[in-house]
Amino acid sequence: QVQLMESGGGVVQPGRSLRLSCAASGFTFSSYAMHWVRQAPGKGLEWVAVISYDGSDKYYADSVKGRITVSRDNSKSTLHLQMNSLRAGDTAVYYCARDSGYEYIWGIYMDYWGQGTLVTVSS
Amino acid sequence: DIQMTQSPSSLSASVGDRVTITCRASQGISNYLAWYQQKPGKVPKLLIYSASTLQSGVPSRFSGSGSGTDFTLTISSLQPEDVSTYYCQKYNSAPYTFGQGTKLEIK
């Protein structure tokens, strides 16, 4: 069965960096685009970033552009989110989610989600 | 960028009621719309995609409709387990924006 497990969250000071990871299993990771979605405490869902199945294309929300980088290691079935210059407004649970498309057809809805990892930006 | 606006923001209804949630896109998105359900303290779950196609395993009391800019999610007969926040999401192109959510409670 499809499993996605995020890790790397924690408490970090403003201005510092953090790298999140998402370990995937139960499907051919290298054939699916992957998304990051975040949810601030008590707030709604905010789409953050997507990376194509082969890592050649990436898109970001305006709110994180220039500070966050999505990457993937298909040999390890792992997705990453490098977050720099963190702000209080980045405090959220970060979910990785699988795109429902397959290889060349991607950028669609999200059919599987991980349990999320909490990032708290605070001094 | 296209904005997604849901209404109402919150809703209280009785068991057995027909419930409708609306999602409006600021520009046309054809039928590239998904609905997600997030129960309290849980991970979001895909309910509907392509505006009206039910994801496998989702109860048939859920349905979706619409195209272009106006979309609806309908629960034909509200059940206690439907207490959740519901989100629409566009996926015609990046950014894959979500609506602000509709919190559904039982009266």
Side-chain angles (χ1 to χ4, degrees):
Chain A
Q1 69 281 22
V2 173
Q3 290 193 336
L4 300 169
M5 183 167 297
E6 301 90 342
S7 61
V11 180
V12 59
Q13 293 179 330
R16 303 298 290 264
S17 299
L18 201 63
R19 189 193 198 205
L20 306 183
S21 297
C22 171
S25 62
F27 65 103
T28 305
F29 181 73
S30 59
S31 294
Y32 289 85
M34 296 293 295
H35 298 262
W36 285 99
V37 176
R38 68 184 182 182
Q39 187 168 35
K43 302 298 184 182
L45 301 173
E46 180 187 14
W47 175 80
V48 173
V50 65
I51 183 169
S52 61
Y53 67 102
D54 61 357
S56 62
D57 286 313
K58 305 171 186 181
Y59 295 93
Y60 299 94
D62 285 345
S63 59
V64 305
K65 208 171 288 183
R67 299 187 300 116
I68 283 181
T69 302
V70 60
S71 63
R72 64 191 298 158
D73 184 342
N74 283 346
S75 69
K76 296 182 179 179
S77 296
T78 303
L79 176 72
H80 298 290
L81 191 70
Q82 177 67 43
M83 302 189 293
N84 300 326
S85 302
L86 283 162
R87 310 164 177 167
D90 296 317
T91 294
V93 173
Y94 285 75
Y95 297 101
C96 65
R98 191 183 82 166
D99 189 276
S100 63
Y102 186 82
E103 292 186 348
Y104 305 99
I105 309 297
W106 63 275
I108 315 182
Y109 49 90
M110 301 149 200
D111 56 0
Y112 290 93
W113 297 62
Q115 292 299 309
T117 188
L118 176 62
V119 173
T120 303
V121 182
S122 174
S123 55
Chain B
D1 291 343
I2 296 173
Q3 304 303 314
M4 305 300 293
T5 303
Q6 289 182 230
S7 61
S9 296
S10 63
L11 175 59
S12 182
S14 300
V15 172
D17 281 355
R18 182 182 182 88
V19 171
T20 299
I21 297 169
T22 298
C23 177
R24 176 164 290 175
S26 59
Q27 298 176 39
I29 58 170
S30 185
N31 67 335
Y32 296 109
L33 186 101
W35 289 96
Y36 300 87
Q37 174 191 55
Q38 187 177 32
K39 295 186 176 183
K42 300 297 185 182
V43 174
K45 171 189 170 184
L46 175 66
L47 287 181
I48 287 169
Y49 59 92
S50 298
S52 60
T53 303
L54 216 58
Q55 173 71 342
S56 175
V58 174
S60 59
R61 63 180 179 274
F62 290 92
S63 64
S65 65
S67 183
T69 60
D70 294 313
F71 303 87
T72 58
L73 171 69
T74 300
I75 307 173
S76 60
S77 178
L78 185 65
Q79 300 301 303
E81 60 266 32
D82 300 334
V83 169
S84 301
T85 300
Y86 294 86
Y87 297 92
C88 61
Q89 180 222 354
K90 64 170 273 297
Y91 56 90
N92 60 313
S93 63
Y96 302 99
T97 309
F98 289 90
Q100 82 276 18
T102 296
K103 187 175 183 179
L104 176 59
E105 298 175 329
I106 299 291
K107 194 179 294 182

